[in-house]
Each structure stands twice: as C-alpha cells, then as structure tokens.
Amino acid sequence: AIDVNSAMRMIRYQVNPNNPYFNSNLGTEVVTLSVTDQGFSGSDSTGEFDGTGAESKLTFIVSIEPVNNLPIITVPRASDPIQVNENGEAQLSRASLSPGLDVTDVDSDECNGKITLVLEVPYGRLYFAKVKTLTITPISDASVDAIEFFATPSCTESMCSAMPNEDFCSNAYPCEWLSLAEPMRCECRKVSPGGRCSVLKLSGPQTHIQAA
C-alpha cells in the first residue's frame, strides 16, 4: 500500500492535446478510481481462490476552468499588398483573395456568444454588397438576419443603457429606444448593411461573421 500511495502522488492530469480548448463549459471530465485487493485478505492470505477479491470504486470531477483565448485574425496576402485599380473595388473574401480575410475565436460559441468586428480604412470605403456582380458576391440573407450592423462604430451598449428614459435616448444620436422590446430599453442604433463607410462595426455569431 505504501508503494501504491507513493505512485499515486506522481499521477498528473493533462488536457487532451487533440482537444486543447476543452473546458467545463463543454462537458464534464470525470476521473474513475478502482482498487481491488485481488483476493489477498485475512481470510485468504495467498489469494489463490477465485472470486474472493474485494473492490472499491470512486469517481470525482475535474473542473477545467475556461480561459479567454485571443481571437486569431488571418489577412489576405499578408506578404505582399493587395492591388486595386484606381476607382475600382475588391472583395477581401477567401474566394477572391486566398486565404482571405478571416477571424476565428475558439471559445466564442461556448455560451452562444458573439464576436464584434471593427474594420477601418483611412482613405477608401468599406461596405457589404447586397447585389451580386461579376466580381462581387453579396452578403447572404441569413447573415444579414444574424448580424447587428452599428450606425455609429464608437457607440457602446454601456453608453446607451445609461439613458434613463426614451427622451434622453432619442436625443443621443448613436442610440435608439426599443419601445417594443421587453423590457423597453435604449441600445446602440442598428442599420442595414450596404452603406459605404470608412469604419464598419458589426457583431454576431462567429460563423456568420466569417461568412460576411
């Protein structure tokens, strides 16, 4: 027993390297400990009789605390500049410019969460196309429904939620009063995609942000 207990103190636990982002938000990790005396006891000191062994079993939970992992940004053609003709346009998607503009957050979907994306350019304009052309693929209706597009990128929900009533909310341009919501509240003003802006801010499920 002394040798066994010495060995027990050397046991370590490691998250499966093939699933490094597993945590207790995704499932319950259970350790099962079984101990048998193999029949060696006071009544059978030699352990020669089958079926005389006794076994104890214990299970306990290992809590794997979630860690907020940094989002990963992939840019198209990171090693050389993107070329667009004067007075022209280009789509920054995977289909157009491999590997394409992409964002990934390994833990954003654990609790049905959203990611917020802000894009900014100093000279040109950014927009989400709503009409298909020979060179441009439009944003899908499903993504339009799932994503929130902000009228004012600098607006924050804490700014609008601090407005005590409809009058205060209506006088704050970045905000809008949601009279049909339950409960009624003040939130950042949302718009439909399509406008051409130097700064775009959008928020939604990761899969739809990636598709957009």
Side-chain angles (χ1 to χ4, degrees):
I2 295 176
D3 292 339
V4 171
N5 288 331
S6 297
M8 288 286 291
R9 286 193 287 270
M10 302 304 296
I11 294 177
R12 300 293 184 265
Y13 176 88
Q14 180 182 7
V15 174
N16 187 340
N18 294 325
N19 189 15
Y21 301 112
F22 176 85
N23 60 60
S24 294
N25 282 339
L26 303 174
T28 302
E29 180 69 297
V30 178
V31 176
T32 301
L33 179 64
S34 300
V35 181
T36 177
D37 62 13
Q38 301 183 27
F40 290 91
S41 64
S43 60
D44 179 20
S45 59
T46 64
E48 61 180 308
F49 300 107
D50 293 335
T52 60
E55 181 183 41
S56 294
K57 181 176 291 188
L58 175 69
T59 60
F60 57 91
I61 294 174
V62 175
S63 177
I64 303 175
E65 296 300 316
V67 174
N68 189 6
N69 298 280
L70 287 173
I72 298 172
I73 303 173
T74 303
V75 295
R77 300 174 59 178
S79 60
D80 63 313
I82 299 171
Q83 293 182 343
V84 182
N85 292 331
E86 180 182 350
N87 198 30
E89 60 183 6
Q91 189 160 17
L92 305 181
S93 67
R94 291 181 178 180
S96 301
L97 292 170
S98 178
L101 181 64
D102 190 37
V103 292
T104 303
D105 188 15
V106 296
D107 48 17
S108 69
D109 296 331
E110 287 181 10
C111 302
N112 298 317
K114 298 179 179 180
I115 59 176
T116 298
L117 180 67
V118 178
L119 303 97
E120 182 175 359
V121 292
Y123 302 111
R125 291 295 182 265
L126 300 166
Y127 72 100
F128 288 94
K130 299 180 70 175
V131 179
K132 180 179 176 60
T133 69
L134 292 177
T135 57
I136 300 295
T137 301
I139 185 172
S140 69
D141 292 338
S143 292
V144 171
D145 293 338
I147 296 174
E148 295 178 319
F149 300 86
F150 293 82
T152 306
S154 60
C155 181
T156 63
E157 293 303 339
S158 59
M159 175 195 305
C160 296
S161 62
M163 303 295 169
N165 55 48
E166 183 176 1
D167 290 337
F168 279 89
C169 183
S170 300
N171 289 326
Y173 171 73
C175 307
E176 63 180 339
W177 183 256
L178 303 182
S179 59
L180 299 180
E182 183 59 42
M184 292 185 291
R185 60 186 180 272
C186 186
E187 289 187 352
C188 289
R189 186 182 303 276
K190 310 302 190 303
V191 295
S192 298
R196 298 171 187 248
C197 308
S198 59
V199 184
L200 291 177
K201 179 181 178 181
L202 55 152
S203 180
Q206 178 175 199
T207 52
H208 286 284
I209 293 291
Q210 290 172 333

